[in-house]
Amino acid sequence: MSVDVGTVRRIASLARVKVEDAQAEALVGELNNILSWVEQLGELDTEGVPPMTSVVEMELPLRADAVTDGGVAEDIVKNAPDPSGRFFTVPKVVE
Amino acid sequence: MSLLQGTTGEWEMVIGLEVHAQVISNSKLFSGASTTFGAAPNSQVSIVDAAMPGMLPVLNRECVAQAIRTGLGLKAKINLVSVFERKNYFYPDLPQGYQISQYQHPIVGEGSILLDLDNGETREVGIERLHLEQDAGKSLHDQHPRKTFVDLNRSGVALMEIVSKPDMRSAEEVGAYLRKLRSILRYLGTCDGNMDEGSMRCDVNLSLRRPGGPLGTRTETKNVNSIRFVQQAIEAEARRQMEILEDGGSIEQETRLFDSRRGETRSMRSKEEAHDYRYFPDPDLLPLELEPAWVEDLKAALPELPDDKKARFMADFGLSAYDAGVLVAERANADFYEEVAKGRDAKLAANWVITNFFGALNASGKGLEEAPVTAAQLGGLLDLLADDTISGRIAKDVFEEMWESGKDAAVIVEEKGLKQITDTGAIEAAIAKVIADNPGQVEQYTSGANPKVIGWFVGQVMKATQGKANPGMVNQLLKKHLGG
């Protein structure tokens, strides 16, 4: 598996990462190196081996359905660049 | 099956639905913030919901139980292992930059739902899957000329996405599907089904084909928020696709929006690029493994669902499929009916509940809980009818009076002296007067020229007794006095 410069631009755009043209060329090489390194894993026979989801032997913890949080609207919007009252605001997005 | 008639022949609609149903729970899917609707902006947001760096999601056990209950109610396979994945896209009301959802391994697999169609027939529609996911926040576009305001109160509330198979063929079937799904969710108590408040939302996948032919290209119309609008959106989108196809064009697979004011769908191009969601298992969450015993416990505790209740009403009470269907659509209605019917004539009770009680309720625009007449009071009226204290005609008047005043039937009958006259002497006196006053009609009857005139006599006697005479006795005594 390898990527070309078009794919790199597309991935960057989907991730909202600004990539200049010169950088894109360099990233093609870097990403392909990473991909080919990871592809070495394909040499292992994993037939019938379930994917490992955790390095520790544990189950997904579940919590009780209780309201234990919230009521901190001031704090929630405190770091927002341009809050209005207790709303976040962003440049208008309309469909 | 309803086919569209085009200029080049007939077209068949192929429709599948994705319904997003907000789970009834106190707190959110992965955080302890409240889910109550309509709170002050950002007042029900935890730092998990606001996606502050380093915050970890912890799954709400009740939301999982609700998804399992819903799966069981849809007669679906419960998957004992399911996986939460990240669906990646950027939008202002999605602070994480991804939605935690389920993709390859949903908690609920294939099931089915039985539609009750207007003609009394039923039709099965397949359920493809049900998965759990987070809701997004809310964008408000009308607060400022150049800004969109964002409220994250809804962010992180649990949703069940319920995906049907493309088994529906008309707007009518889609309406029946949504009504039935909503009824099941409400019986189960897993979603309030309130489309106005957005706790049930619907995306419509629709394509056209020649009857029996290969499938066409589909479009997805997003976020239609009432059953009526869903049906309008389907009609509009089907018409649009038919016009394109008949002109020799082709349908573009795309996401569309329904504009309810214009009654048309339009393209939502901004979503196109975002369609590459790059799902991957959420590294913050282990796979969800269910204990089979837990699923069994939830199953054992399920309430009687609409289909079973309908079958029981038909078998035990001898109701028609239509009447039983009307009564079971809402659980509260069914409970009301059962209380009225208990120990009484079940068919008579069904007629009174459906025709008189629901009729009055609809006319007044009230909900069941605000009705001025209780089930016990309506039952009291039926008792007076059953033991011949009042006639059927008087019962209707008494019911109207009950609706106005909230008084018990027996009180009204007593106060207004509406007791049925079963005293032979009183009835015979009325009959004698009617006979004496109407020799012409008597002649018609006795000569055999018009035996049906007996009905007219019954009417006159009833009128003379203000409807209080027992009609059976009037009939019998009339025949005796007219020598019939």
Side-chain angles (χ1 to χ4, degrees), chain A residues 10 13-14 16 53-54 58 62-63 65-69 71 73 82 84 86-90 92-93 95, chain B residues 26-29 31-32 42-43 46 58-61 90 141 144 146-150 270 273 276 286:
Chain A
R10 181 169 158 71
S13 155
L14 285 170
R16 301 293 189 273
T53 49
S54 171
M58 64 178 288
L62 299 177
R63 38 170 257 280
D65 180 29
V67 176
T68 56
D69 211 336
D82 183 26
S84 175
R86 289 176 180 174
F87 284 103
F88 294 93
T89 75
V90 295
K92 198 156 207 135
V93 275
E95 289 296 346
Chain B
N26 297 317
S27 62
K28 296 183 179 179
L29 184 56
S31 88
N42 290 311
S43 63
S46 80
V58 187
L59 184 58
N60 182 338
R61 183 181 166 89
F90 283 99
H141 303 293
H144 190 280
R146 291 180 315 281
K147 293 176 187 172
T148 290
F149 283 35
V150 180
S270 59
E273 208 208 359
D276 186 351
L286 290 165

Side-chain angles (χ1 to χ4, degrees), chain B residues 6 16 77 106 112 121 166 168 171 190 226 235 258 270 284 359 372 391 412 416 445 454 468 471 479:
Chain B
K77 179 171 181 285
S112 67
E121 286 174 20
M168 285 163 274
T190 57
S226 79
E235 303 288 356
F258 178 61
S270 59
D284 291 339
S391 67
I412 294 167
K416 304 218 155 179
Y445 184 81
I454 186 87
K468 290 187 286 186
K479 283 185 179 161

Side-chain angles (χ1 to χ4, degrees), chain B residues 184-228:
Chain B
I184 291 171
L185 295 172
R186 285 177 173 168
Y187 266 70
L188 292 166
T190 57
C191 169
D192 67 23
N194 193 335
M195 293 185 87
D196 298 340
E197 289 180 2
S199 44
M200 193 168 133
R201 309 192 287 272
C202 177
D203 301 341
V204 182
N205 288 298
L206 185 149
S207 64
L208 294 187
R209 66 174 176 186
R210 294 296 187 186
L215 289 172
T217 305
R218 67 185 163 83
T219 62
E220 179 181 10
T221 304
K222 282 229 171 261
N223 267 333
V224 202
N225 60 7
S226 79
I227 292 177
R228 192 165 55 92

Side-chain angles (χ1 to χ4, degrees), chain B residues 192-330:
Chain B
D192 67 23
N194 193 335
M195 293 185 87
D196 298 340
E197 289 180 2
S199 44
M200 193 168 133
R201 309 192 287 272
C202 177
D203 301 341
V204 182
N205 288 298
L206 185 149
S207 64
L208 294 187
R209 66 174 176 186
R210 294 296 187 186
L215 289 172
T217 305
R218 67 185 163 83
T219 62
E220 179 181 10
T221 304
K222 282 229 171 261
N223 267 333
V224 202
N225 60 7
S226 79
I227 292 177
R228 192 165 55 92
F229 285 159
V230 169
Q231 293 183 313
Q232 285 175 8
I234 287 168
E235 303 288 356
E237 178 59 12
R239 219 178 312 119
R240 186 190 72 90
Q241 289 190 13
M242 185 171 76
E243 278 167 18
I244 292 174
L245 291 169
E246 298 221 305
D247 286 347
S250 59
I251 304 300
E252 204 182 323
Q253 182 166 346
E254 61 175 353
T255 307
R256 301 181 67 84
L257 268 183
F258 178 61
D259 184 332
S260 56
R261 270 172 305 177
R262 295 185 183 184
E264 61 185 31
T265 67
R266 62 186 152 86
S267 185
M268 199 174 159
R269 302 209 182 275
S270 59
K271 283 268 176 184
E272 292 313 294
E273 208 208 359
H275 264 311
D276 186 351
Y277 292 126
R278 297 150 294 147
Y279 281 97
F280 63 91
D282 191 318
D284 291 339
L285 292 159
L286 290 165
L288 172 59
E289 295 183 41
L290 306 177
E291 289 290 338
W294 187 31
V295 177
E296 284 309 311
D297 287 350
L298 291 168
K299 189 172 188 175
L302 286 187
E304 184 184 36
L305 291 170
D307 288 336
D308 297 328
K309 207 181 270 291
K310 182 177 169 188
R312 181 166 63 82
F313 280 11
M314 290 168 70
D316 292 1
F317 298 145
L319 302 188
S320 68
Y322 179 82
D323 284 356
V326 169
L327 290 169
V328 305
E330 296 283 346

